[in-house]
Amino acid sequence: DADVTQTPRNRITKTGKRIMLECSQTKGHDRMYWYRQDPGLGLRLIYYSFDVKDINKGEISDGYSVSRQAQAKFSLSLESAIPNQTALYFCATSDGDPTTDTQYFGPGTRLTVL
Amino acid sequence: LAKTTQPISMDSYEGQEVNITCSHNNIATNDYITWYQQFPSQGPRFIIQGYKTKVTNEVASLFIPADRKSSTLSLPRVSLSDTAVYYCLVGDMLGTDKLIFGTGTRLQVFP
């Protein structure tokens, strides 16, 4: 979905390096999310933010941090990358509609930690 | 926590109707049921959402019985391009249950 963009799309890094994945959206949504997906598995929630001043841990937040710079931007950082953080990372947004709150996903960032 | 259970995989042939059932025995009063589709190396895409009875859109139908403890995603006349993973999520807008994707159902459509 072009309304949600992620950079970079692919990244190879080494163990111990600090990495930042960026997410931008033009949908005007307050809610943003970061997920990771390992091969053959579903998505697991890392962090989520319901508005600019709100940051919450998901089920697998250890080793990650986030920054909500603006309504449109939500960055995910790996402070010291390790090989088991090799995965496909997705950013998503939603509008918080009380009856739908549908999530819209970005194209993903494939991260490899050597 | 409204946990969902889906079959791990299903096979079908082009032109057939496919029904994928999701169990959510402890669904709460305010919970909605949402289905997403995911192609390899792409982010999930919303398919359909419902609260009770039947919902239909241009892509699929969603059947929800009166007790709401399960739901069935129905894909009419599937094609090869429907080969994907389908996720059932349950939760309300205020909580985080609906952010739990699980492993989904891998649908393989054969010619």
Side-chain angles (χ1 to χ4, degrees):
Chain A
D1 190 332
D3 297 323
V4 183
T5 57
Q6 293 183 233
T7 56
R9 294 294 312 279
N10 290 281
R11 181 71 184 268
I12 299 174
T13 190
K14 295 182 179 180
T15 298
K17 294 292 186 180
R18 184 177 188 275
I19 297 297
M20 179 180 287
L21 309 183
E22 299 186 348
C23 177
S24 295
Q25 54 113 346
T26 58
K27 301 188 77 67
H29 291 169
D30 286 327
R31 297 183 168 197
M32 298 188 74
Y33 313 85
W34 275 104
Y35 292 89
R36 69 173 277 176
Q37 185 171 37
D38 296 281
L41 301 180
L43 283 77
R44 290 185 292 170
L45 184 64
I46 306 173
Y47 271 94
Y48 62 100
S49 169
F50 281 177
D51 65 45
V52 174
K53 297 181 180 180
D54 176 72
I55 300 290
N56 302 282
K57 294 182 177 180
E59 59 181 306
I60 54 165
S61 60
D62 287 349
Y64 301 94
S65 63
V66 291
S67 174
R68 186 78 186 268
Q69 300 96 321
Q71 185 199 43
K73 296 184 182 298
F74 193 36
S75 300
L76 176 72
S77 294
L78 287 67
E79 299 302 325
S80 179
I82 56 177
N84 75 0
Q85 291 178 313
T86 293
L88 189 54
Y89 290 83
F90 290 104
C91 173
T93 75
S94 69
D95 62 6
D97 184 285
T99 58
T100 59
D101 201 30
T102 301
Q103 291 186 72
Y104 297 85
F105 285 81
T109 294
R110 187 171 298 280
L111 176 66
T112 302
V113 183
L114 302 176
Chain B
L1 187 64
K3 182 179 178 180
T4 62
T5 303
Q6 304 175 232
I8 294 174
S9 64
M10 296 181 68
D11 292 337
S12 183
Y13 291 92
E14 284 189 293
Q16 291 188 333
E17 178 184 71
V18 171
N19 295 307
I20 305 175
T21 297
C22 178
S23 297
H24 27 81
N25 291 319
N26 56 343
I27 188 170
T29 302
N30 294 329
D31 288 347
Y32 280 76
I33 301 158
T34 309
W35 286 80
Y36 288 84
Q37 175 192 56
Q38 186 183 26
F39 298 114
S41 298
Q42 295 184 27
R45 181 176 70 104
F46 171 84
I47 301 177
I48 197 166
Q49 183 182 73
Y51 183 79
K52 61 180 179 181
T53 63
K54 177 184 175 181
V55 179
T56 297
N57 61 24
E58 65 278 6
V59 177
S61 294
L62 179 59
F63 298 92
I64 305 169
D67 66 5
R68 303 201 327 123
K69 293 184 182 299
S70 67
S71 59
T72 299
L73 174 72
S74 181
L75 305 173
R77 299 179 297 282
V78 295
S79 64
L80 296 176
S81 63
D82 292 315
T83 293
V85 178
Y86 294 83
Y87 298 95
C88 166
L89 283 71
V90 174
D92 66 18
M93 185 272 289
L94 297 176
T96 59
D97 288 358
K98 66 187 303 180
L99 307 178
I100 300 173
F101 275 77
T103 55
T105 297
R106 187 174 300 276
L107 173 65
Q108 179 69 54
V109 179
F110 295 96

